[in-house]
Amino acid sequence: MTRDAAPAAPARPLRRDAELNRRRMLESARAVFGRRGLEATLDDVAHHAGLGVGTVYRRFPSKEHLVEAMFADRMEDLTELAAKALEHEDAWEGFVEFTWQAAELAACDRGLREIMLSKAFGHGHVAEVKARMVPLITELVERAQASGQLRADVVPTDLPLIHQMIGSVVEYTSLVEPHLWRRCLALILDGLRAEPGRSSDLPHPGLNQAEIDEAMCAWRQPKHPAAPKSS
């Protein structure tokens, strides 16, 4: 009579120190990628966390692994915001609500802006979440058009380009006035109305000439993240 095979042992949870290190890595990654975008490296994250480079590489063998761990939840948050905006009774207000909330999340996080608008990284769960977001964004646009409040010639793919424009404003003016993007988004939303009525109250004053000169002096062309090498 053969003995039954022993059941596989459940995966052991990380030791307390290992879990603390993982949290430090993710917190440091959020800070580093939020400031520098996807050009940041695992070495940069290790330095910020005060950990050895080998410690980081043992937990995240590549930057792709770290991007997946860090940004999948952020993209899930955006998907939930889009789903919640569809529940709004007023289709235009739902569209505006999501556009503002997505901009709020991305304005202070360069890495999130880049992961939203690029396919250089995030080919696993991040890509799956993006795919689920597309029909939600499409429904937000079509719903606002059906109510006669959004221009009929707007297409869903205009939204990521609008966020790219807002991201450019953030990067250009961050050292002079980091909240100027709010003014620009309010102007854009007014332009998206099917029948513009009373102009929105702009949430921020424009730059004066001295401030735009300061922005010109401070601005540097951002580097583009390199695509991960295929193994």
Side-chain angles (χ1 to χ4, degrees):
M1 181 176 180
T2 60
R3 183 180 298 175
D4 293 338
R12 290 185 300 175
L14 292 175
R15 297 192 321 269
R16 185 173 183 275
D17 58 341
E19 177 59 25
L20 289 175
N21 280 344
R22 180 180 181 277
R23 292 179 184 177
R24 285 172 65 186
M25 293 174 206
L26 290 175
E27 289 171 2
S28 293
R30 290 188 183 99
V32 172
F33 282 98
R35 183 177 67 254
R36 296 185 52 190
L38 298 180
E39 71 179 33
T41 67
L42 293 186
D43 290 13
D44 297 326
V45 173
H47 178 74
H48 187 279
L51 298 170
V53 174
T55 302
V56 175
Y57 276 88
R58 280 194 296 273
R59 188 67 187 88
F60 300 105
S62 71
K63 186 157 72 172
E64 176 72 18
H65 288 83
L66 181 55
V67 166
E68 283 287 329
M70 185 171 49
F71 288 112
D73 287 346
R74 303 299 305 278
M75 295 302 296
E76 288 281 10
D77 290 342
L78 283 169
T79 302
E80 290 176 8
L81 289 175
K84 185 177 180 181
L86 285 170
E87 298 174 1
H88 205 295
E89 290 184 6
D90 186 291
W92 170 255
E93 292 300 326
F95 173 83
V96 169
E97 177 182 281
F98 172 76
T99 305
W100 272 107
Q101 290 176 331
E104 288 274 4
L105 286 177
C108 59
D109 190 333
R110 180 178 167 188
L112 180 60
R113 292 198 301 273
E114 291 180 356
I115 205 71
M116 287 169 60
L117 300 168
S118 170
K119 288 192 174 183
F121 291 94
H123 301 112
H125 189 191
V126 170
E128 294 173 6
V129 179
K130 283 184 179 179
R132 284 194 276 113
M133 190 183 299
V134 169
L136 298 176
I137 301 298
T138 300
E139 188 175 353
L140 278 171
V141 169
E142 293 178 347
R143 187 167 170 258
Q145 288 171 329
S147 71
Q149 297 167 289
L150 178 66
R151 291 175 55 139
D153 53 358
V154 171
V155 293
T157 51
D158 285 329
L159 263 67
L161 297 179
I162 288 171
H163 283 102
Q164 173 66 9
M165 288 188 281
I166 295 302
S168 296
V169 172
V170 170
E171 291 177 3
Y172 192 75
T173 65
S174 60
L175 296 179
V176 178
E177 183 43 74
H179 299 295
L180 187 71
W181 66 268
R182 299 175 185 277
R183 175 185 179 88
C184 297
L185 183 53
L187 289 168
I188 290 170
L189 286 170
D190 275 359
L192 291 175
R193 290 179 181 272
E195 296 181 1
R198 186 182 70 84
S199 298
S200 300
D201 295 328
L202 296 181
H204 203 283
L207 299 182
N208 59 37
Q209 189 58 50
E211 289 170 327
I212 197 68
D213 288 344
E214 184 180 351
M216 289 180 179
C217 291
W219 184 76
R220 296 290 183 273
Q221 177 68 40
K223 295 179 181 178
H224 297 288
K229 296 180 180 179
S230 58
S231 55

